Amino acid sequence: MREKKTQQETSIGTKSVWAGEREYLVHGATQVPVVLSVAYGYEDMDEWYDVAIGKKPGHIYGRNTNPTVNALEDKIRILEGAEAATSFSTGMAAVSNTLYTFLVPGDRIVSIKDTYGGTNKLFTEFLPKLNIEVTLCETGNHKEIEAEILKGCKVLYLETPTNPTVKITDIARMTKAAKKVGALVIVDNTFATPINQNPLELGADIVLHSATKFLGGHADALGGVICGPKNLIDKVYHYREINGAAMDPMAAYLILRGMKTLKLRVTQQTESAMKIANFLQKQDWIEAVYYPGLESHPHHDIAKKQMKGYGGMLSFALRGGVDTVRSFLPRLQLANRAANLGAVETTYGPARTTSHVECTPEERSAMGIPEGLVRLSVGIEDVEDLISDLEQAFSYLSGK
Ligand code: PLP
């Protein structure tokens, strides 16, 4: 007779649907309820006290914990194979609260030049104000990153693939260097999702997501999540509960619902992105295509080793720069032109108005982001339709 599988033993698509929910289902509900109550009442003063000091499980106040939010944290924690998770109002709150928890004046952090624009602003504007030394290495220059880590640092912060040029950093190799100097390794896994990459398995201490993107998948809720060992997550949770960037329960519900289809969506988006990248490479109007699944990508081998799939994000530079972008993007029909990614609808955005709007043209250029770069978040539409939409937009450019 076959043994019954525990939920932990199921595969990731099954976990996306079922994991983390059971203990939150009440009154026979099959879906996690949205608990909007701000506070939780107690008749018994001793029980209230025990819950308040964390001796007993339960909820006190919505800025600290909420059952709907907890269900979402549990689901993501299980998908990332982590001991603990905590959540935030946005992805940027996840980044900033995590960094502010672990860094104090006089510390040093090593990262890469190509992180998401908001994260990059923390590195270039806010952390230096606190006398935290920030060293940003050339993304993909593993020798330089290793050398900077080995000089000593408190935190190594990675994002791979990067936004928007999908550069890849070898997580296992960089983690090995970080362990030598006792640095904490944080990896932003927003682009890959737990379907395509598991940084904790590669040695990272904390994995971070903007849940606004692929996890939610429907561009209708903001959120951020981190996962890792309980002792580290508890520290960040404490910082967040006091600083107040708690996730809204309605957002948690929407992201939780979106996550039921995470594997289906991301698998489809990954397959379609590969086909679109191959198509784009052959177009006369294209100067460069950035996609880690292409053999021409400088770190294709590392991506192949550490990712299960190359993901639904790619970018391309159009010949003629911003002027061509101005004519090309409005011509597309199956497209949101918006500052978001990871949704079911295909979304295009120039880096200069989306991911790196906070940066000056000079800063973007230093990061290797051409002004005519377009970020493409592939949706779940039929890929033949997406390609024929691109075809008609290219032929419009040629006929102009
Ligand atoms: N990390 C990455 C890789 C992102 O792309 C983004 C946003 O685009 C963030 C973090 C910040 O997330 P949020 O917009 O939810 O604050």
Side-chain angles (χ1 to χ4, degrees):
M1 200 173 70
R2 276 189 141 197
E3 288 296 310
K4 237 165 97 174
K5 274 188 179 176
T6 66
Q7 213 177 68
Q8 293 293 345
E9 289 164 344
T10 58
S11 61
I12 198 153
T14 309
K15 285 190 178 116
S16 303
V17 178
W18 289 101
E21 299 192 8
R22 194 157 295 155
E23 75 172 276
Y24 303 96
L25 301 174
V26 289
H27 308 301
T30 59
Q31 303 303 316
V32 172
V34 185
V35 179
L36 293 171
S37 183
V38 162
Y40 302 79
Y42 292 87
E43 305 277 307
D44 182 326
M45 295 302 110
D46 293 327
E47 189 194 358
W48 187 4
Y49 179 73
D50 285 349
V51 174
I53 63 166
K55 206 166 133 193
K56 259 191 170 176
H59 304 279
I60 297 291
Y61 185 61
R63 173 157 46 75
N64 310 110
T65 61
N66 168 283
T68 316
V69 173
N70 281 172
L72 174 67
E73 291 168 347
D74 270 356
K75 192 185 279 293
I76 300 172
R77 174 185 70 73
I78 292 167
L79 292 187
E80 286 289 10
E83 189 185 8
T86 193
S87 61
F88 308 84
S89 50
T90 63
M92 272 317 297
V95 178
S96 59
N97 282 248
T98 305
L99 293 177
Y100 289 129
T101 298
F102 295 111
L103 293 167
V104 295
D107 280 343
R108 177 167 185 263
I109 175 169
V110 172
S111 189
I112 49 176
K113 283 187 185 160
D114 286 65
T115 50
Y116 165 64
T119 307
N120 185 264
K121 273 285 158 201
L122 284 177
F123 292 151
T124 54
E125 187 178 334
F126 293 98
L127 293 181
K129 276 189 200 163
L130 299 177
N131 190 28
I132 291 161
E133 189 189 332
V134 181
T135 303
L136 300 182
C137 305
E138 210 56 58
T139 312
N141 184 341
H142 289 88
K143 283 202 172 125
E144 183 194 349
I145 307 171
E146 244 163 7
E148 290 299 338
I149 295 167
L150 293 174
K151 286 180 191 165
C153 60
K154 181 87 163 283
V155 170
L156 168 66
Y157 186 96
L158 299 176
E159 181 185 315
T160 179
T162 56
N163 184 355
T165 47
V166 286
K167 291 183 184 156
I168 302 291
T169 304
D170 188 327
I171 299 173
R173 178 172 164 191
M174 294 305 104
T175 298
K176 216 181 251 177
K179 297 292 159 197
K180 286 190 189 150
V181 295
L184 192 73
V185 181
I186 304 168
V187 179
D188 184 335
N189 203 29
T190 300
F191 268 36
T193 81
I195 303 299
N196 281 331
Q197 181 170 272
N198 298 103
L200 299 182
E201 281 176 12
L202 300 166
D205 297 296
I206 291 180
V207 57
L208 183 151
H209 287 277
S210 165
T212 316
K213 314 298 178 196
F214 286 96
L215 296 187
H218 293 73
D220 55 6
L222 290 162
V225 175
I226 62 163
C227 309
K230 188 170 177 334
N231 66 327
L232 298 179
I233 300 300
D234 278 355
K235 285 185 184 152
V236 187
Y237 162 74
H238 180 57
Y239 185 91
R240 191 271 286 155
E241 69 169 331
I242 302 306
N243 283 274
M247 185 185 280
D248 178 72
M250 197 62 217
Y253 176 76
L254 289 169
I255 297 167
L256 188 77
R257 185 169 70 164
M259 282 193 66
K260 303 233 176 197
T261 55
L262 182 70
K263 186 181 172 201
L264 288 177
R265 286 187 282 109
V266 172
T267 305
Q268 173 70 58
Q269 287 163 318
T270 299
E271 265 180 48
S272 300
M274 188 74 230
K275 288 183 183 158
I276 292 172
N278 278 319
F279 163 79
L280 286 172
Q281 265 195 323
K282 295 182 204 124
Q283 305 307 308
D284 290 344
W285 282 97
I286 293 289
E287 220 162 56
V289 181
Y290 307 82
Y291 186 62
L294 293 175
E295 280 176 18
S296 56
H297 187 287
H299 292 117
H300 174 67
D301 288 349
I302 301 169
K304 197 168 172 181
K305 184 181 70 167
Q306 75 184 12
M307 299 181 80
K308 295 172 184 127
Y310 303 108
M313 296 300 303
L314 58 113
S315 56
F316 55 90
L318 284 167
R319 251 194 318 118
V322 181
D323 284 343
T324 311
V325 173
R326 269 195 204 103
S327 313
F328 183 75
L329 283 196
R331 182 76 191 173
L332 291 162
Q333 289 181 317
L334 299 173
N336 277 328
R337 284 151 284 257
N340 191 32
L341 60 97
V344 289
E345 300 92 1
T346 290
T347 305
Y348 293 82
R352 66 197 277 271
T353 35
T354 58
S355 61
H356 286 70
V357 68
E358 292 95 346
C359 305
T360 62
E362 293 73 34
E363 285 171 333
R364 280 192 290 272
S365 162
M367 284 180 222
I369 299 174
E371 291 296 277
L373 188 93
V374 176
R375 185 179 71 188
L376 165 51
S377 169
V378 179
I380 62 165
E381 304 91 340
D382 292 334
V383 68
E384 300 75 25
D385 291 329
L386 295 176
I387 289 177
S388 70
D389 194 26
L390 284 160
E391 270 170 343
Q392 64 79 26
F394 283 126
S395 72
Y396 169 75
L397 287 183
S398 302
K400 260 181 39 142

